[in-house]
Amino acid sequence: MKRLWELDAARGLMLVLMTITHVPSRLTDPVGQPFGFVSAAEGFVLLSAFVSGLVYSRIGYTQGVAVMRRAFWRRALKIYFIQAALLLFLFTVITGVGLQLDQPAVKEMVKYYLAHPHDALTFSLLLVYQPALLDILPMYILFMLASPWVIAFAMRHGWQWPMALSATWWAASQFGTTEWLYGVTRGVLHLPVPYGETGSFDTFAWQFLWFVGMWLGASRNAPDAQPFVFPKWLLGLAVAVAGGCFAWRHFGPTGQAPFGDDAGLNLLFDKWHLGPLRLLNLAALCIVAIRFGPPLLHRLPRPRWLEDMGSASLPVFCAHLVAVFVVVSLTGGGYAALPYGADLWVLGGVFVGLYAVARAVLRWEGGGDGGKKARPPAPHGQPVADAG
Protein backbone atom coordinates (compact mmCIF):
# COMPACT_ATOMS: atom_id res chain seq x y z
CA MET A 1 0.00 0.00 0.00
CA LYS A 2 1.40 3.35 -0.97
CA ARG A 3 2.57 5.79 1.67
CA LEU A 4 1.42 9.37 1.99
CA TRP A 5 4.61 10.62 0.40
CA GLU A 6 3.20 14.14 0.14
CA LEU A 7 2.94 14.34 3.92
CA ASP A 8 6.43 12.92 4.35
CA ALA A 9 7.79 15.53 1.93
CA ALA A 10 5.91 18.31 3.73
CA ARG A 11 7.29 17.22 7.11
CA GLY A 12 10.75 17.04 5.55
CA LEU A 13 10.36 20.60 4.31
CA MET A 14 9.34 21.77 7.78
CA LEU A 15 12.46 20.12 9.21
CA VAL A 16 14.65 21.88 6.64
CA LEU A 17 13.12 25.25 7.46
CA MET A 18 13.42 24.69 11.22
CA THR A 19 17.07 23.74 10.82
CA ILE A 20 17.86 26.87 8.84
CA THR A 21 16.01 28.93 11.45
CA HIS A 22 17.73 27.34 14.45
CA VAL A 23 21.29 26.99 13.18
CA PRO A 24 22.64 30.53 13.64
CA SER A 25 23.57 32.03 10.26
CA ARG A 26 22.77 34.93 7.99
CA LEU A 27 19.90 32.90 6.57
CA THR A 28 18.12 32.62 9.92
CA ASP A 29 16.12 35.84 9.69
CA PRO A 30 15.20 35.74 5.97
CA VAL A 31 13.95 32.15 6.24
CA GLY A 32 12.15 32.68 9.56
CA GLN A 33 8.36 32.65 9.09
CA PRO A 34 8.78 32.03 5.35
CA PHE A 35 5.11 31.70 4.43
CA GLY A 36 3.79 34.79 6.20
CA PHE A 37 3.50 35.16 9.96
CA VAL A 38 3.63 31.39 10.43
CA SER A 39 6.75 29.38 11.19
CA ALA A 40 7.78 25.84 10.35
CA ALA A 41 6.97 24.78 13.93
CA GLU A 42 3.23 25.22 13.36
CA GLY A 43 3.41 23.22 10.14
CA PHE A 44 5.44 20.46 11.76
CA VAL A 45 3.11 20.11 14.76
CA LEU A 46 -0.02 20.18 12.60
CA LEU A 47 1.35 17.59 10.16
CA SER A 48 2.55 15.35 12.98
CA ALA A 49 -0.85 15.56 14.64
CA PHE A 50 -2.60 14.78 11.35
CA VAL A 51 -0.47 11.69 10.78
CA SER A 52 -0.92 10.60 14.41
CA GLY A 53 -4.68 10.96 14.11
CA LEU A 54 -4.66 9.02 10.84
CA VAL A 55 -2.48 6.18 12.12
CA TYR A 56 -3.66 5.77 15.71
CA SER A 57 -7.37 6.15 15.01
CA ARG A 58 -6.96 3.42 12.40
CA ILE A 59 -5.51 1.23 15.14
CA GLY A 60 -8.48 2.12 17.32
CA TYR A 61 -10.99 1.19 14.61
CA THR A 62 -9.29 -2.06 13.58
CA GLN A 63 -7.66 -3.37 16.78
CA GLY A 64 -9.53 -1.65 19.57
CA VAL A 65 -9.09 1.30 21.90
CA ALA A 66 -6.87 -0.58 24.34
CA VAL A 67 -4.32 -1.39 21.64
CA MET A 68 -4.44 2.22 20.41
CA ARG A 69 -3.88 3.52 23.94
CA ARG A 70 -0.84 1.28 24.43
CA ALA A 71 0.58 2.41 21.09
CA PHE A 72 0.26 6.05 22.16
CA TRP A 73 1.90 5.33 25.50
CA ARG A 74 4.80 3.48 23.89
CA ARG A 75 5.37 6.43 21.62
CA ALA A 76 5.23 8.87 24.53
CA LEU A 77 7.72 6.77 26.49
CA LYS A 78 10.09 6.67 23.52
CA ILE A 79 9.94 10.44 23.16
CA TYR A 80 10.51 10.84 26.91
CA PHE A 81 13.73 8.83 26.81
CA ILE A 82 14.89 10.85 23.80
CA GLN A 83 14.16 14.08 25.70
CA ALA A 84 16.13 12.79 28.68
CA ALA A 85 19.09 11.92 26.47
CA LEU A 86 19.05 15.37 24.87
CA LEU A 87 18.91 17.03 28.28
CA LEU A 88 21.91 15.05 29.51
CA PHE A 89 23.81 15.90 26.33
CA LEU A 90 23.06 19.59 26.85
CA PHE A 91 23.94 19.60 30.54
CA THR A 92 27.21 17.70 30.10
CA VAL A 93 28.86 18.00 26.69
CA ILE A 94 27.42 21.30 25.46
CA THR A 95 27.61 23.04 28.83
CA GLY A 96 31.19 21.83 29.28
CA VAL A 97 32.27 23.09 25.85
CA GLY A 98 30.40 26.37 26.33
CA LEU A 99 32.06 27.03 29.68
CA GLN A 100 35.47 26.06 28.35
CA LEU A 101 35.14 28.43 25.40
CA ASP A 102 33.30 31.05 27.48
CA GLN A 103 30.28 31.18 25.16
CA PRO A 104 27.60 33.58 26.47
CA ALA A 105 24.91 31.93 24.31
CA VAL A 106 25.44 28.58 26.01
CA LYS A 107 25.52 30.17 29.45
CA GLU A 108 22.24 31.93 28.72
CA MET A 109 20.69 28.71 27.44
CA VAL A 110 21.48 26.80 30.65
CA LYS A 111 21.54 29.67 33.16
CA TYR A 112 18.99 28.02 35.44
CA TYR A 113 20.95 24.77 35.35
CA LEU A 114 24.18 26.59 36.23
CA ALA A 115 22.48 28.34 39.14
CA HIS A 116 20.48 25.35 40.42
CA PRO A 117 21.97 22.14 38.95
CA HIS A 118 20.14 19.65 41.17
CA ASP A 119 16.73 21.26 40.78
CA ALA A 120 17.31 21.75 37.07
CA LEU A 121 18.19 18.11 36.48
CA THR A 122 15.31 16.80 38.59
CA PHE A 123 12.62 19.05 37.18
CA SER A 124 13.85 18.78 33.60
CA LEU A 125 13.31 15.02 33.85
CA LEU A 126 9.86 15.80 35.24
CA LEU A 127 9.27 17.97 32.14
CA VAL A 128 8.88 21.14 34.17
CA TYR A 129 12.19 22.86 33.46
CA GLN A 130 12.60 23.13 29.68
CA PRO A 131 15.73 24.82 28.29
CA ALA A 132 15.61 26.59 24.95
CA LEU A 133 14.83 24.27 22.00
CA LEU A 134 14.03 21.42 24.39
CA ASP A 135 10.47 22.62 24.95
CA ILE A 136 8.85 20.95 21.93
CA LEU A 137 9.23 17.28 22.84
CA PRO A 138 7.65 17.74 26.31
CA MET A 139 4.58 19.14 24.55
CA TYR A 140 4.49 16.09 22.31
CA ILE A 141 4.69 13.79 25.32
CA LEU A 142 1.76 15.51 27.04
CA PHE A 143 -0.28 15.51 23.83
CA MET A 144 0.50 11.83 23.24
CA LEU A 145 -0.67 10.96 26.75
CA ALA A 146 -3.94 12.86 26.31
CA SER A 147 -4.68 11.84 22.71
CA PRO A 148 -5.93 8.25 23.19
CA TRP A 149 -8.60 9.43 25.63
CA VAL A 150 -9.70 12.15 23.23
CA ILE A 151 -9.82 9.83 20.22
CA ALA A 152 -11.65 7.13 22.20
CA PHE A 153 -14.28 9.66 23.27
CA ALA A 154 -14.57 11.04 19.73
CA MET A 155 -14.99 7.55 18.27
CA ARG A 156 -18.08 7.10 20.44
CA HIS A 157 -19.53 10.59 20.63
CA GLY A 158 -17.98 12.64 17.83
CA TRP A 159 -15.42 15.43 17.85
CA GLN A 160 -17.75 18.33 18.72
CA TRP A 161 -17.16 18.35 22.48
CA PRO A 162 -13.38 17.66 22.40
CA MET A 163 -12.83 20.45 19.87
CA ALA A 164 -15.10 22.86 21.74
CA LEU A 165 -13.14 22.22 24.95
CA SER A 166 -9.82 22.53 23.12
CA ALA A 167 -10.88 25.84 21.55
CA THR A 168 -11.98 27.10 24.98
CA TRP A 169 -8.57 26.28 26.46
CA TRP A 170 -6.87 28.07 23.56
CA ALA A 171 -9.06 31.16 24.06
CA ALA A 172 -8.35 31.18 27.81
CA SER A 173 -4.61 30.95 27.15
CA GLN A 174 -4.75 34.23 25.24
CA PHE A 175 -5.48 35.97 28.55
CA GLY A 176 -2.60 34.47 30.54
CA THR A 177 -4.46 31.50 31.98
CA THR A 178 -1.52 29.12 31.51
CA GLU A 179 0.87 31.30 33.48
CA TRP A 180 -1.75 31.86 36.18
CA LEU A 181 -2.39 28.13 36.56
CA TYR A 182 1.32 27.43 36.76
CA GLY A 183 1.64 30.09 39.45
CA VAL A 184 -1.12 28.43 41.48
CA THR A 185 0.42 24.98 40.98
CA ARG A 186 3.87 26.26 41.85
CA GLY A 187 2.58 27.73 45.08
CA VAL A 188 0.75 24.56 46.10
CA LEU A 189 3.55 22.14 45.20
CA HIS A 190 6.40 24.53 46.06
CA LEU A 191 8.01 24.14 42.65
CA PRO A 192 11.34 25.98 42.44
CA VAL A 193 11.27 26.49 38.66
CA PRO A 194 10.05 29.97 37.57
CA TYR A 195 7.52 30.17 34.77
CA GLY A 196 10.07 31.67 32.41
CA GLU A 197 12.09 28.45 32.55
CA THR A 198 9.19 26.15 31.63
CA GLY A 199 9.56 26.61 27.88
CA SER A 200 8.52 29.17 25.32
CA PHE A 201 5.47 27.33 23.99
CA ASP A 202 2.15 27.87 25.77
CA THR A 203 0.90 24.30 26.05
CA PHE A 204 -2.74 25.33 26.52
CA ALA A 205 -2.58 27.30 23.28
CA TRP A 206 -0.69 24.74 21.21
CA GLN A 207 -2.91 21.83 22.26
CA PHE A 208 -5.58 23.36 20.03
CA LEU A 209 -3.34 23.05 16.98
CA TRP A 210 -2.50 19.47 17.91
CA PHE A 211 -6.11 18.37 18.35
CA VAL A 212 -7.23 20.11 15.17
CA GLY A 213 -4.61 18.05 13.34
CA MET A 214 -5.68 14.89 15.18
CA TRP A 215 -9.31 15.51 14.30
CA LEU A 216 -8.52 16.06 10.62
CA GLY A 217 -6.33 12.96 10.48
CA ALA A 218 -8.81 10.75 12.31
CA SER A 219 -11.60 11.94 10.01
CA ARG A 220 -9.84 10.24 7.09
CA ASN A 221 -10.59 6.85 8.68
CA ALA A 222 -14.31 7.45 9.06
CA PRO A 223 -16.47 5.16 6.88
CA ASP A 224 -18.06 8.17 5.18
CA ALA A 225 -14.83 10.19 4.79
CA GLN A 226 -14.96 12.63 1.90
CA PRO A 227 -12.10 14.57 0.27
CA PHE A 228 -11.50 18.06 1.60
CA VAL A 229 -13.48 20.45 -0.63
CA PHE A 230 -13.77 24.18 -0.04
CA PRO A 231 -16.37 26.58 -1.46
CA LYS A 232 -15.04 29.11 -3.92
CA TRP A 233 -15.63 32.06 -1.61
CA LEU A 234 -13.59 30.42 1.16
CA LEU A 235 -10.81 29.47 -1.23
CA GLY A 236 -10.68 33.02 -2.55
CA LEU A 237 -10.58 34.44 0.97
CA ALA A 238 -7.79 32.01 1.92
CA VAL A 239 -5.72 32.99 -1.10
CA ALA A 240 -6.18 36.68 -0.23
CA VAL A 241 -5.22 36.19 3.43
CA ALA A 242 -2.24 33.95 2.66
CA GLY A 243 -0.98 36.21 -0.12
CA GLY A 244 -1.49 39.36 1.92
CA CYS A 245 0.37 37.98 4.95
CA PHE A 246 3.19 36.71 2.73
CA ALA A 247 3.62 40.16 1.15
CA TRP A 248 3.32 41.87 4.55
CA ARG A 249 6.01 39.61 6.01
CA HIS A 250 8.55 39.81 3.18
CA PHE A 251 7.92 43.21 1.58
CA GLY A 252 6.51 45.22 4.48
CA PRO A 253 8.61 47.67 6.51
CA THR A 254 8.56 45.71 9.78
CA GLY A 255 9.92 42.29 8.80
CA GLN A 256 8.97 39.45 11.15
CA ALA A 257 7.22 41.80 13.61
CA PRO A 258 3.93 42.57 11.85
CA PHE A 259 3.20 45.75 13.82
CA GLY A 260 6.75 46.88 14.45
CA ASP A 261 7.31 47.99 18.04
CA ASP A 262 3.65 47.72 19.07
CA ALA A 263 3.87 44.79 21.49
CA GLY A 264 0.12 44.73 22.12
CA LEU A 265 -0.86 44.35 18.48
CA ASN A 266 1.97 41.89 17.82
CA LEU A 267 0.32 39.55 20.34
CA LEU A 268 -2.37 38.97 17.72
CA PHE A 269 0.30 37.18 15.65
CA ASP A 270 2.23 35.80 18.62
CA LYS A 271 3.90 32.46 17.99
CA TRP A 272 4.24 31.18 21.54
CA HIS A 273 0.58 31.77 22.42
CA LEU A 274 -0.75 31.09 18.90
CA GLY A 275 -2.39 34.47 18.53
CA PRO A 276 -5.74 34.61 16.68
CA LEU A 277 -4.38 36.30 13.54
CA ARG A 278 -1.57 33.75 13.42
CA LEU A 279 -4.15 30.96 13.46
CA LEU A 280 -6.06 32.76 10.70
CA ASN A 281 -2.88 32.97 8.62
CA LEU A 282 -2.19 29.27 9.26
CA ALA A 283 -5.74 28.23 8.35
CA ALA A 284 -5.51 30.18 5.09
CA LEU A 285 -2.20 28.51 4.24
CA CYS A 286 -3.65 25.07 4.99
CA ILE A 287 -6.62 25.65 2.68
CA VAL A 288 -4.34 26.86 -0.11
CA ALA A 289 -1.93 23.94 0.40
CA ILE A 290 -4.72 21.32 0.41
CA ARG A 291 -6.29 22.77 -2.74
CA PHE A 292 -3.21 23.56 -4.82
CA GLY A 293 -0.44 21.51 -3.21
CA PRO A 294 -1.14 18.00 -4.54
CA PRO A 295 -1.58 19.05 -8.20
CA LEU A 296 1.59 21.13 -8.00
CA LEU A 297 3.60 18.33 -6.35
CA HIS A 298 2.58 15.85 -9.02
CA ARG A 299 3.87 18.18 -11.73
CA LEU A 300 7.28 18.53 -10.07
CA PRO A 301 10.07 15.98 -9.62
CA ARG A 302 9.33 13.87 -6.58
CA PRO A 303 11.50 15.17 -3.68
CA ARG A 304 12.80 11.84 -2.42
CA TRP A 305 15.29 13.43 -0.03
CA LEU A 306 12.53 15.43 1.67
CA GLU A 307 10.43 12.27 1.86
CA ASP A 308 13.23 10.41 3.59
CA MET A 309 13.71 13.18 6.14
CA GLY A 310 9.98 13.39 6.78
CA SER A 311 9.64 9.62 7.09
CA ALA A 312 12.26 9.66 9.85
CA SER A 313 11.02 12.93 11.29
CA LEU A 314 11.61 12.22 15.00
CA PRO A 315 15.26 11.10 14.67
CA VAL A 316 15.97 13.90 12.20
CA PHE A 317 14.36 16.47 14.49
CA CYS A 318 16.50 15.28 17.41
CA ALA A 319 19.63 15.24 15.26
CA HIS A 320 18.94 18.82 14.21
CA LEU A 321 18.80 19.83 17.89
CA VAL A 322 22.17 18.17 18.51
CA ALA A 323 23.60 20.01 15.50
CA VAL A 324 22.25 23.36 16.73
CA PHE A 325 23.70 22.83 20.21
CA VAL A 326 27.10 21.93 18.76
CA VAL A 327 27.18 24.93 16.41
CA VAL A 328 26.12 27.33 19.18
CA SER A 329 28.71 25.94 21.60
CA LEU A 330 31.51 26.33 19.05
CA THR A 331 30.56 29.62 17.36
CA GLY A 332 28.73 31.47 20.13
CA GLY A 333 25.35 31.48 18.44
CA GLY A 334 25.64 34.87 16.73
CA TYR A 335 23.85 35.12 13.41
CA ALA A 336 26.95 36.66 11.84
CA ALA A 337 29.53 34.84 13.97
CA LEU A 338 31.12 33.10 10.99
CA PRO A 339 32.71 34.66 7.89
CA TYR A 340 30.64 35.01 4.72
CA GLY A 341 30.39 31.68 2.98
CA ALA A 342 31.17 29.69 6.11
CA ASP A 343 27.45 29.80 6.96
CA LEU A 344 26.72 27.77 3.85
CA TRP A 345 29.43 25.25 4.66
CA VAL A 346 28.07 24.79 8.17
CA LEU A 347 24.48 24.42 6.97
CA GLY A 348 25.58 22.10 4.21
CA GLY A 349 27.42 19.90 6.68
CA VAL A 350 24.40 19.86 9.00
CA PHE A 351 22.05 18.81 6.21
CA VAL A 352 24.41 16.08 5.04
CA GLY A 353 24.39 14.76 8.60
CA LEU A 354 20.61 14.98 8.91
CA TYR A 355 20.06 13.15 5.64
CA ALA A 356 22.54 10.48 6.71
CA VAL A 357 20.53 10.03 9.92
CA ALA A 358 17.30 9.72 7.92
CA ARG A 359 18.74 7.13 5.57
CA ALA A 360 20.29 5.12 8.41
CA VAL A 361 17.00 5.10 10.35
CA LEU A 362 14.94 4.09 7.33
CA ARG A 363 17.39 1.35 6.41
CA TRP A 364 17.34 0.05 9.99
CA GLU A 365 13.55 0.11 10.23
CA GLY A 366 13.11 -1.28 6.75
CA GLY A 367 15.44 -4.21 7.28
CA GLY A 368 17.97 -2.98 4.74
CA ASP A 369 15.61 -1.78 1.99
CA GLY A 370 15.57 1.87 3.00
CA GLY A 371 12.28 1.71 4.84
CA LYS A 372 10.22 1.20 1.68
CA LYS A 373 8.66 -2.13 2.59
CA ALA A 374 5.03 -2.63 1.72
CA ARG A 375 2.64 -1.96 4.56
CA PRO A 376 -0.76 -3.47 5.30
CA PRO A 377 -3.69 -1.68 3.68
CA ALA A 378 -5.61 0.86 5.72
CA PRO A 379 -9.36 0.68 6.23
CA HIS A 380 -11.77 2.18 3.72
CA GLY A 381 -9.04 2.43 1.08
CA GLN A 382 -7.05 5.06 2.92
CA PRO A 383 -3.24 5.07 2.54
CA VAL A 384 -1.07 4.78 5.62
CA ALA A 385 1.85 6.73 7.01
CA ASP A 386 4.17 6.60 9.97
CA ALA A 387 3.23 8.51 13.09
CA GLY A 388 6.84 9.55 13.66
PDB file of all heavy atoms in Angstrom, residues 305-319:
ATOM      1  N   TRP A 305      14.488  13.137  -1.219  1.00  0.00           N
ATOM      2  CA  TRP A 305      15.291  13.433  -0.026  1.00  0.00           C
ATOM      3  C   TRP A 305      14.439  14.062   1.069  1.00  0.00           C
ATOM      4  O   TRP A 305      14.623  13.781   2.254  1.00  0.00           O
ATOM      5  CB  TRP A 305      16.473  14.325  -0.390  1.00  0.00           C
ATOM      6  CG  TRP A 305      16.102  15.712  -0.816  1.00  0.00           C
ATOM      7  CD1 TRP A 305      15.619  16.104  -2.024  1.00  0.00           C
ATOM      8  CD2 TRP A 305      16.184  16.896  -0.023  1.00  0.00           C
ATOM      9  NE1 TRP A 305      15.384  17.463  -2.038  1.00  0.00           N
ATOM     10  CE2 TRP A 305      15.731  17.975  -0.827  1.00  0.00           C
ATOM     11  CE3 TRP A 305      16.607  17.166   1.276  1.00  0.00           C
ATOM     12  CZ2 TRP A 305      15.688  19.286  -0.362  1.00  0.00           C
ATOM     13  CZ3 TRP A 305      16.560  18.464   1.749  1.00  0.00           C
ATOM     14  CH2 TRP A 305      16.110  19.507   0.922  1.00  0.00           C
ATOM     15  N   LEU A 306      13.455  14.881   0.676  1.00  0.00           N
ATOM     16  CA  LEU A 306      12.533  15.427   1.672  1.00  0.00           C
ATOM     17  C   LEU A 306      11.637  14.328   2.238  1.00  0.00           C
ATOM     18  O   LEU A 306      11.330  14.316   3.436  1.00  0.00           O
ATOM     19  CB  LEU A 306      11.674  16.519   1.055  1.00  0.00           C
ATOM     20  CG  LEU A 306      12.335  17.876   0.817  1.00  0.00           C
ATOM     21  CD1 LEU A 306      11.347  18.833   0.159  1.00  0.00           C
ATOM     22  CD2 LEU A 306      12.863  18.470   2.125  1.00  0.00           C
ATOM     23  N   GLU A 307      11.215  13.405   1.383  1.00  0.00           N
ATOM     24  CA  GLU A 307      10.429  12.272   1.857  1.00  0.00           C
ATOM     25  C   GLU A 307      11.174  11.484   2.921  1.00  0.00           C
ATOM     26  O   GLU A 307      10.613  11.119   3.965  1.00  0.00           O
ATOM     27  CB  GLU A 307      10.120  11.326   0.701  1.00  0.00           C
ATOM     28  CG  GLU A 307       9.010  11.750  -0.217  1.00  0.00           C
ATOM     29  CD  GLU A 307       8.779  10.675  -1.253  1.00  0.00           C
ATOM     30  OE1 GLU A 307       8.399   9.538  -0.861  1.00  0.00           O
ATOM     31  OE2 GLU A 307       8.995  10.938  -2.441  1.00  0.00           O
ATOM     32  N   ASP A 308      12.444  11.205   2.641  1.00  0.00           N
ATOM     33  CA  ASP A 308      13.232  10.413   3.586  1.00  0.00           C
ATOM     34  C   ASP A 308      13.340  11.131   4.933  1.00  0.00           C
ATOM     35  O   ASP A 308      13.206  10.508   5.996  1.00  0.00           O
ATOM     36  CB  ASP A 308      14.633  10.150   3.019  1.00  0.00           C
ATOM     37  CG  ASP A 308      14.601   9.171   1.857  1.00  0.00           C
ATOM     38  OD1 ASP A 308      13.599   8.453   1.713  1.00  0.00           O
ATOM     39  OD2 ASP A 308      15.582   9.128   1.090  1.00  0.00           O
ATOM     40  N   MET A 309      13.584  12.442   4.890  1.00  0.00           N
ATOM     41  CA  MET A 309      13.706  13.182   6.144  1.00  0.00           C
ATOM     42  C   MET A 309      12.373  13.224   6.881  1.00  0.00           C
ATOM     43  O   MET A 309      12.319  13.107   8.107  1.00  0.00           O
ATOM     44  CB  MET A 309      14.233  14.583   5.869  1.00  0.00           C
ATOM     45  CG  MET A 309      15.674  14.600   5.383  1.00  0.00           C
ATOM     46  SD  MET A 309      16.330  16.245   5.098  1.00  0.00           S
ATOM     47  CE  MET A 309      16.394  16.901   6.753  1.00  0.00           C
ATOM     48  N   GLY A 310      11.283  13.378   6.144  1.00  0.00           N
ATOM     49  CA  GLY A 310       9.975  13.392   6.781  1.00  0.00           C
ATOM     50  C   GLY A 310       9.562  12.041   7.312  1.00  0.00           C
ATOM     51  O   GLY A 310       8.890  11.940   8.344  1.00  0.00           O
ATOM     52  N   SER A 311       9.971  10.967   6.635  1.00  0.00           N
ATOM     53  CA  SER A 311       9.639   9.622   7.094  1.00  0.00           C
ATOM     54  C   SER A 311      10.323   9.300   8.417  1.00  0.00           C
ATOM     55  O   SER A 311       9.799   8.544   9.229  1.00  0.00           O
ATOM     56  CB  SER A 311      10.058   8.589   6.040  1.00  0.00           C
ATOM     57  OG  SER A 311       9.348   8.770   4.840  1.00  0.00           O
ATOM     58  N   ALA A 312      11.511   9.859   8.597  1.00  0.00           N
ATOM     59  CA  ALA A 312      12.262   9.660   9.846  1.00  0.00           C
ATOM     60  C   ALA A 312      12.257  10.946  10.652  1.00  0.00           C
ATOM     61  O   ALA A 312      13.279  11.372  11.188  1.00  0.00           O
ATOM     62  CB  ALA A 312      13.690   9.223   9.531  1.00  0.00           C
ATOM     63  N   SER A 313      11.094  11.563  10.775  1.00  0.00           N
ATOM     64  CA  SER A 313      11.020  12.930  11.291  1.00  0.00           C
ATOM     65  C   SER A 313      11.513  13.055  12.733  1.00  0.00           C
ATOM     66  O   SER A 313      12.188  14.029  13.074  1.00  0.00           O
ATOM     67  CB  SER A 313       9.590  13.466  11.189  1.00  0.00           C
ATOM     68  OG  SER A 313       8.685  12.638  11.895  1.00  0.00           O
ATOM     69  N   LEU A 314      11.187  12.100  13.598  1.00  0.00           N
ATOM     70  CA  LEU A 314      11.608  12.216  15.000  1.00  0.00           C
ATOM     71  C   LEU A 314      13.129  12.128  15.142  1.00  0.00           C
ATOM     72  O   LEU A 314      13.735  13.010  15.777  1.00  0.00           O
ATOM     73  CB  LEU A 314      10.917  11.163  15.854  1.00  0.00           C
ATOM     74  CG  LEU A 314      11.296  11.166  17.339  1.00  0.00           C
ATOM     75  CD1 LEU A 314      10.981  12.508  17.989  1.00  0.00           C
ATOM     76  CD2 LEU A 314      10.571  10.040  18.086  1.00  0.00           C
ATOM     77  N   PRO A 315      13.798  11.114  14.575  1.00  0.00           N
ATOM     78  CA  PRO A 315      15.265  11.099  14.671  1.00  0.00           C
ATOM     79  C   PRO A 315      15.918  12.307  14.009  1.00  0.00           C
ATOM     80  O   PRO A 315      16.902  12.846  14.539  1.00  0.00           O
ATOM     81  CB  PRO A 315      15.655   9.794  13.958  1.00  0.00           C
ATOM     82  CG  PRO A 315      14.439   8.939  14.020  1.00  0.00           C
ATOM     83  CD  PRO A 315      13.290   9.883  13.945  1.00  0.00           C
ATOM     84  N   VAL A 316      15.378  12.742  12.886  1.00  0.00           N
ATOM     85  CA  VAL A 316      15.968  13.897  12.201  1.00  0.00           C
ATOM     86  C   VAL A 316      15.770  15.155  13.030  1.00  0.00           C
ATOM     87  O   VAL A 316      16.677  15.992  13.151  1.00  0.00           O
ATOM     88  CB  VAL A 316      15.363  14.063  10.792  1.00  0.00           C
ATOM     89  CG1 VAL A 316      15.816  15.377  10.158  1.00  0.00           C
ATOM     90  CG2 VAL A 316      15.773  12.891   9.906  1.00  0.00           C
ATOM     91  N   PHE A 317      14.601  15.314  13.630  1.00  0.00           N
ATOM     92  CA  PHE A 317      14.362  16.468  14.490  1.00  0.00           C
ATOM     93  C   PHE A 317      15.350  16.491  15.648  1.00  0.00           C
ATOM     94  O   PHE A 317      15.922  17.541  15.972  1.00  0.00           O
ATOM     95  CB  PHE A 317      12.930  16.435  15.024  1.00  0.00           C
ATOM     96  CG  PHE A 317      12.623  17.536  16.005  1.00  0.00           C
ATOM     97  CD1 PHE A 317      12.314  18.806  15.565  1.00  0.00           C
ATOM     98  CD2 PHE A 317      12.652  17.293  17.372  1.00  0.00           C
ATOM     99  CE1 PHE A 317      12.043  19.833  16.468  1.00  0.00           C
ATOM    100  CE2 PHE A 317      12.383  18.300  18.276  1.00  0.00           C
ATOM    101  CZ  PHE A 317      12.074  19.570  17.829  1.00  0.00           C
ATOM    102  N   CYS A 318      15.562  15.342  16.276  1.00  0.00           N
ATOM    103  CA  CYS A 318      16.498  15.277  17.406  1.00  0.00           C
ATOM    104  C   CYS A 318      17.929  15.526  16.945  1.00  0.00           C
ATOM    105  O   CYS A 318      18.698  16.213  17.638  1.00  0.00           O
ATOM    106  CB  CYS A 318      16.387  13.921  18.089  1.00  0.00           C
ATOM    107  SG  CYS A 318      14.766  13.620  18.825  1.00  0.00           S
ATOM    108  N   ALA A 319      18.289  15.008  15.778  1.00  0.00           N
ATOM    109  CA  ALA A 319      19.632  15.244  15.256  1.00  0.00           C
ATOM    110  C   ALA A 319      19.845  16.719  14.942  1.00  0.00           C
ATOM    111  O   ALA A 319      20.947  17.254  15.132  1.00  0.00           O
ATOM    112  CB  ALA A 319      19.852  14.394  13.999  1.00  0.00           C
TER     113      ALA A 319
END
